[in-house]
Each structure stands twice: as C-alpha cells, then as structure tokens.
Amino acid sequence: MAGIGIAMLIMWCLTWCMASALSVKYYEQTCPQVEHIVAGAVHKATMNDKTVPAALLRMHFHDCFIRGCDASVLLESKGKKKAEKDGPANISLHAFYVIENAKKAVEAECPGVVSCADILALAARDAVALSGGPTWEVPKGRKDGRISNAIETRQLPAPVFNISQLEQSFSERGLSLKDLVALSGGHTLGFAHCSSFENRIHNFNAKQDIDPSLNPSLAAKLRSICPAHNKMKNAGAPLDSTSTTFDNAYYKLLLQGNTIFSSDQALLTHPKTKALVSKYAASQKEFHRAFVKSIIKMGSINGGTEIRLHCKLVR
Ligand code: HEM
Ligand SMILES: *[C@@H]1O[C@H](CO)[C@@H](O)[C@H](O)[C@H]1NC(C)=O
Ligand SMILES: *[C@@H]1O[C@H](CO)[C@@H](O)[C@H](O)[C@H]1NC(C)=O
C-alpha cells in the first residue's frame, strides 16, 4: 500500500514539481541575451506609444488566469474556432506586436529555446519597471500551450465582481486575498472603456441610478464621458489619476471612492482587504514589495507543454 502511495507521489511530482520549477537562471546557458532583447522591444514600443506598458501587464494577467501562463492569450483564431483574443473579455487587449517583435529577435539569437509565455512575463516586468514601478528577477522556464478558446475568457474575473467572487476567482488559481489586493494595483496603469464601468453610473440598482460608493464628482465625470446607451465605442476613462506611472495613487483614490470598477471598490468591503488597501495607500514601498511577490506567484501558474516558434500560431 505504502509503495503504491509513494509511486503515485513520484508520478504526481514528475508532472507537477518539475513543470512548476521555474528559475531566474533558466536561459543562462541557452539564451543569455533574452532579457536584454525583450527589454529593448518593450522600450522601443513604449517610446512610440505610452499605452503599451498597461497593455502588456494586462496581457500577462489574462494569460496566467486562463490555462496558466502558457501564452494562449497570444494565439490567433483559426477559421471558426475563436481564440481568447476574440473572446468577450478582449476589450482593450492590444500591443501584441511587441511580443511578436521580441520573439522574432529572440528566435534570431537562440532559435527554438525561449517560450512566448516567458517573453510575455519578461515584457510585463519591463513594462512595470519602465513606468516607474519596481523591477524584479523573473523566474523563467514556462512552456507554451496549444489551445485558446474564446469562451474561456469568461473565466476571467469581471469588473462587476464583489469581494466573494473575486476571492473565489483568485483562490481557484492559488492566489490569496493579499495577492488580490496587491495585483489589483495593476490598475495604477491604463484605461477602461465605458462598458467596463457603466454598471456603476446607469441603472445601478432598482433604487439608485448611480453606485453610492462612487465619489459623486467622479460619477458626474464618468456619466458625461459615457452617457446612457453610449455609442462611442472608444470612449472611457483612465484607471487612475497617474495612469502611466506605476505608483500607489490607485490605493489612495480607492479610499476616496475614486477608482473605476466595482471590483476595485469591493476591496473595501472585507476587513482584511480594506486593511491592505490602507497599507498600500500609506506606503508605495509596501505596495511595490507586495506587488512583486504576488506577480511572481501569479506568473508561476503553469499550463503549457512546448516552445512555440510563432507566438500567434501553433504548428
Ligand atoms: C481583480 C480582478 C480584475 C478585474 C475584474 C479586472 C478588470 C479589468 C477591466 C474591466 C479592465 C478594462 C478593460 C477595458 O474596458 O478596456 C482592466 C484593465 C486593466 N487591468 Fe484589470 N482586472 C483585474 C485584475 C488585474 C490584474 C491582476 C492586473 C495586472 C496585475 C490588471 C491590469 C490591468 C491593466 C494594466 C489594465 C489597463 C489595460 C490598458 O489600458 O490597456 N488587472 N481590468
Ligand atoms: C476582439 O474581439 C472582436 C470580436 O471578435 C474582434 O473583432 C477584435 O479584433 C478582437 N480584438 C483583438 C485585439 O484581438
Ligand atoms: C456576491 O455575488 C454573488 C453572486 O451574485 C452572491 O451570491 C453573493 O452573496 C455576493 N457576496 C457578497 C459579499 O456580496
């Protein structure tokens, strides 16, 4: 009996312990230039387009939350089979070309060695660092997946989620309430379309048109940008007052009802998450430290099986 138990444990470990053993030195022998190449591609793109860092950070998050960090978010739809990219939650995902360009440059130096998922994880780190955020050593050795289904983007947390729904979405992926608060700090960068927050400014509930937890002056501003039955597809608002700087303004705004999503506001509805919001609002250093810990944890959710040669195609 004990023998079978141990054999099963070894089998289990062969699939999981090995697969999840990421290492910061993973490409030290096989592609020492990878970090430099990816950083160059992110830097170049950001110089031309200030929205690139936010896009790359969100792309990495979406990647990791569906099928693990396996670059499935990068795959293109094939005929009728719609990929994640064309799924319901794809709104605002962009800058895929940055990963494509980095991959091309990496393949020229070290063919067939570096996964698209690792390139995306590196690019997300570089995006944060370039925006004045912290930097960190990225554990690498992820593999790419072959499957990407539009319908699975439904597994992403939605901006209308309350705290219990957020907690469940994160815990299903091995992430804690602390990770939830720290990673929500990603909303210090970027932009949201009206459709992502219209629940708070029109028909909030049977009694109120506007979410009472939303600061009234922000509510008025958002309503003028996004009138009911808004037809302007590209209209929307920045996620925080310094939306190209990776600072802790998001948490300060959150305490004043000045963040955009219900899911941000929800962080104040649980004593534990509320305390963490206050902590990160008081100390940018604590936020940065916690963010690094949590994004490394999120980045190690594993999924893939191979190294793709083109990030948007499976062979
Ligand atoms: C906690 C659950 C989360 C929810 C419900 C959520 C939801 C959203 C939504 C609805 C948008 C706007 C999409 C649009 O209207 O264009 C957005 C944008 C963004 N999210 Fe999140 N998000 C969550 C967690 C995260 C995490 C963990 C990160 C990264 C650490 C992140 C980073 C971003 C960034 C950077 C943007 C701006 C993207 C851009 O400007 O291109 N989010 N998020
Ligand atoms: C998002 O999905 C829509 C609808 O399928 C598609 O037209 C659009 O190109 C997709 N966006 C991206 C960035 O792939
Ligand atoms: C969150 O929403 C779900 C689904 O609507 C509901 O069942 C649950 O009671 C809500 N939890 C909180 C804390 O509001």
Side-chain angles (χ1 to χ4, degrees):
M1 267 320 273
I4 294 174
I6 289 165
M8 280 179 61
L9 190 68
I10 291 169
M11 289 291 287
W12 178 85
C13 201
L14 278 176
T15 25
W16 292 107
C17 303
M18 305 294 282
S20 60
L22 302 180
S23 147
V24 298
K25 296 185 170 165
Y26 194 80
Y27 297 115
E28 198 175 53
Q29 304 299 323
T30 54
C31 196
Q33 320 89 303
V34 64
E35 308 250 344
H36 184 71
I37 296 172
V38 174
V42 174
H43 186 259
K44 187 174 162 199
T46 303
M47 290 298 106
N48 288 321
D49 178 359
K50 295 286 172 227
T51 73
V52 161
L56 294 173
L57 179 57
R58 181 159 186 247
M59 206 184 285
H60 179 48
F61 156 58
H62 279 206
D63 186 29
C64 293
F65 264 56
I66 301 172
R67 298 186 167 268
C69 316
D70 67 343
S72 56
V73 70
L74 304 176
L75 287 170
E76 301 225 297
S77 298
K78 254 197 201 159
K80 278 194 183 142
K81 284 200 70 183
K82 290 252 177 283
E84 287 166 36
K85 253 187 199 176
D86 292 319
N90 81 348
I91 183 164
S92 94
L93 281 183
H94 67 287
F96 292 102
Y97 72 91
V98 183
I99 305 302
E100 287 294 317
N101 289 347
K103 173 69 169 176
K104 230 179 268 166
V106 169
E107 285 299 306
E109 294 287 330
C110 348
V113 169
V114 181
S115 65
C116 298
D118 277 344
I119 292 177
L120 180 50
L122 287 168
R125 184 272 315 269
D126 296 334
V128 169
L130 264 181
S131 308
T135 191
W136 62 93
E137 296 224 73
V138 177
K140 295 166 291 287
R142 293 169 191 80
K143 293 282 169 26
D144 299 326
R146 302 178 62 85
I147 300 169
S148 181
N149 287 325
I151 200 94
E152 291 176 357
T153 55
R154 284 196 198 153
Q155 298 165 13
L156 290 166
V160 299
F161 272 15
N162 64 30
I163 191 68
S164 28
Q165 294 168 307
L166 290 169
E167 179 173 24
Q168 180 173 350
S169 168
F170 274 61
S171 76
E172 280 166 3
R173 291 158 177 92
L175 300 171
S176 66
L177 282 177
K178 190 170 179 200
D179 297 318
L180 168 64
V181 178
L183 290 169
S184 293
H187 292 162
T188 182
L189 294 182
F191 177 88
H193 294 82
C194 297
S195 57
S196 301
F197 55 84
E198 67 193 358
N199 68 304
R200 303 184 78 190
I201 53 172
H202 303 292
N203 279 318
F204 177 66
N205 62 28
K207 292 201 192 81
Q208 290 154 302
D209 204 24
I210 298 177
D211 179 348
S213 68
L214 183 60
N215 191 303
S217 69
L218 179 60
K221 207 158 107 192
L222 295 179
R223 274 166 67 101
S224 76
I225 300 168
C226 310
H229 317 296
N230 162 54
K231 295 274 182 329
M232 308 263 288
K233 248 187 86 197
N234 295 323
L239 291 182
D240 93 355
S241 53
T242 52
S243 65
T244 57
T245 307
F246 201 91
D247 55 14
N248 67 338
Y250 165 83
Y251 298 99
K252 296 180 187 170
L253 294 168
L254 183 43
L255 290 173
Q256 306 156 357
N258 276 328
T259 50
I260 302 293
F261 305 131
S262 296
S263 59
D264 298 322
Q265 193 67 37
L267 301 178
L268 297 180
T269 62
H270 184 291
K272 189 165 175 193
T273 52
K274 186 177 179 183
L276 289 164
V277 170
S278 300
K279 182 172 170 183
Y280 303 149
S283 167
Q284 176 154 296
K285 214 165 134 189
E286 290 290 346
F287 162 48
H288 283 174
R289 201 198 319 254
F291 184 85
V292 167
K293 232 173 122 179
S294 293
I295 198 168
I296 289 173
K297 201 164 148 194
M298 180 182 85
S300 65
I301 304 173
N302 70 73
T305 52
E306 64 180 32
I307 307 290
R308 288 207 296 271
L309 295 179
H310 295 283
C311 293
K312 48 183 175 182
L313 306 170
V314 287
R315 270 165 298 170

